[in-house]
Amino acid sequence: MYLLIVEDNPDLAANIGEYLEERGHIVDYAADGLTGFRLGSGNSYDAIILDLYLPGMDGISVCQRLRESTHNAVPILMLTARDQERDKLAGFKAGADDYVTKPFSLAELTARLTALVRRAQGIKPARLRVADLEYDTQTLRAFRGPRKLELTPTGLKLLEHFMRVFPAVVTRSDIERLLWGDNPPDNDATLRAHIHALRAAIDQDAEIRLLHTVHGIGYRLTDGAEN
């Protein structure tokens, strides 16, 4: 899993992160709410571990902004030191998917995360659409209007990711994790070649381009309305 921990207690964040990394998961960290929101809205995490009480922006606000401003459906597991019903209700109202009260078992935390991710993956729509771009994840057939796209398995994997996180920017590091895990190529020529092939397939002979470069950051899919 690719996870984000938003926790201002460095010891607790390190304990959770080390436990998860030892089990093969990839972990990013944020020590305040603003950084957590920026990372959560800019990357495609499998789940977010979000503390309720954070400097800069509290966990409730981070959760609300992720749900409202980015339409982000990433599973969110909230942490709090208080075992009070009103805190839990506030978290669920903001869009949290589950709740753990400190102190907690790291094994239980991991089990809850796994269940949340499995549940989220189970309800992903099979047919994706952005503008006149369509992809059926069951038949592995993609179309731009009436034109069938000829894509490699890597191209299909990239296309599905871009369409699921639309309209978010996908960073280069996010793409590297998606395609190669912890062993990306030594240079970015291979990544650029995959993006070039995907862009050529999507935007070939099209008046409106859908796949765009965000210079210095990564790439994003648009619906053509802003072009």
Side-chain angles (χ1 to χ4, degrees):
M1 295 185 289
Y2 181 27
L3 305 167
L4 172 63
I5 300 173
V6 190
E7 169 60 62
D8 63 328
N9 182 322
D11 292 333
L12 178 58
N15 286 341
I16 297 172
E18 289 172 6
Y19 185 88
L20 293 168
E21 287 171 343
E22 287 172 356
R23 283 150 184 80
H25 305 300
I26 301 169
V27 180
D28 286 346
Y29 299 86
D32 62 82
L34 291 171
T35 303
F37 172 72
R38 178 177 59 80
L39 290 175
S41 58
N43 296 302
S44 300
Y45 296 105
D46 292 306
I48 296 175
I49 303 168
L50 179 63
D51 190 28
L52 185 60
Y53 298 100
L54 295 164
M57 182 191 303
D58 63 36
I60 296 295
S61 299
V62 173
C63 189
Q64 287 176 328
R65 288 188 60 181
L66 284 173
R67 295 303 190 219
E68 294 171 1
S69 64
T70 66
H71 304 288
N72 196 326
V74 59
I76 295 176
L77 177 66
M78 273 200 165
L79 309 178
T80 183
R82 297 182 180 179
D83 187 13
Q84 295 186 5
E85 184 178 24
R86 66 171 180 268
D87 288 335
K88 296 180 180 180
L89 293 176
F92 288 131
K93 185 176 181 181
D97 297 281
D98 202 354
Y99 211 98
V100 173
T101 303
K102 303 174 186 176
F104 49 81
S105 159
L106 291 174
E108 179 186 357
L109 177 75
T110 304
R112 286 177 178 268
L113 285 172
T114 302
L116 287 177
V117 171
R118 187 185 301 117
R119 191 182 312 145
Q121 292 174 342
I123 61 174
K124 285 181 178 178
R127 185 178 291 274
L128 305 174
R129 183 180 180 93
V130 175
D132 60 346
L133 178 65
E134 292 187 61
Y135 177 48
D136 190 314
T137 62
Q138 294 184 339
T139 65
L140 304 182
R141 296 178 53 165
F143 292 85
R144 176 82 192 268
R147 178 172 58 87
K148 186 177 186 294
L149 307 187
E150 300 297 334
L151 294 170
T152 64
T154 297
L156 291 172
K157 190 172 185 179
L158 279 173
L159 177 65
E160 178 176 353
H161 187 69
F162 277 116
M163 295 185 76
R164 288 202 186 279
V165 304
F166 164 84
V169 175
V170 181
T171 66
R172 290 185 178 90
S173 60
D174 193 20
I175 295 173
E176 289 177 347
R177 288 190 188 95
L178 176 71
L179 298 183
W180 301 294
D182 292 331
N183 299 294
D186 293 334
N187 59 64
D188 61 355
T190 304
L191 185 152
R192 290 200 305 269
H194 286 306
I195 294 295
H196 176 78
L198 180 60
R199 177 180 283 130
I202 292 175
D203 293 330
Q204 176 186 346
D205 301 325
E207 182 178 346
I208 298 176
R209 295 176 56 201
L210 300 183
L211 184 58
H212 296 265
T213 300
V214 181
H215 294 289
I217 302 176
Y219 308 89
R220 68 187 293 254
L221 200 63
T222 74
D223 59 7
E226 60 190 60
N227 299 329

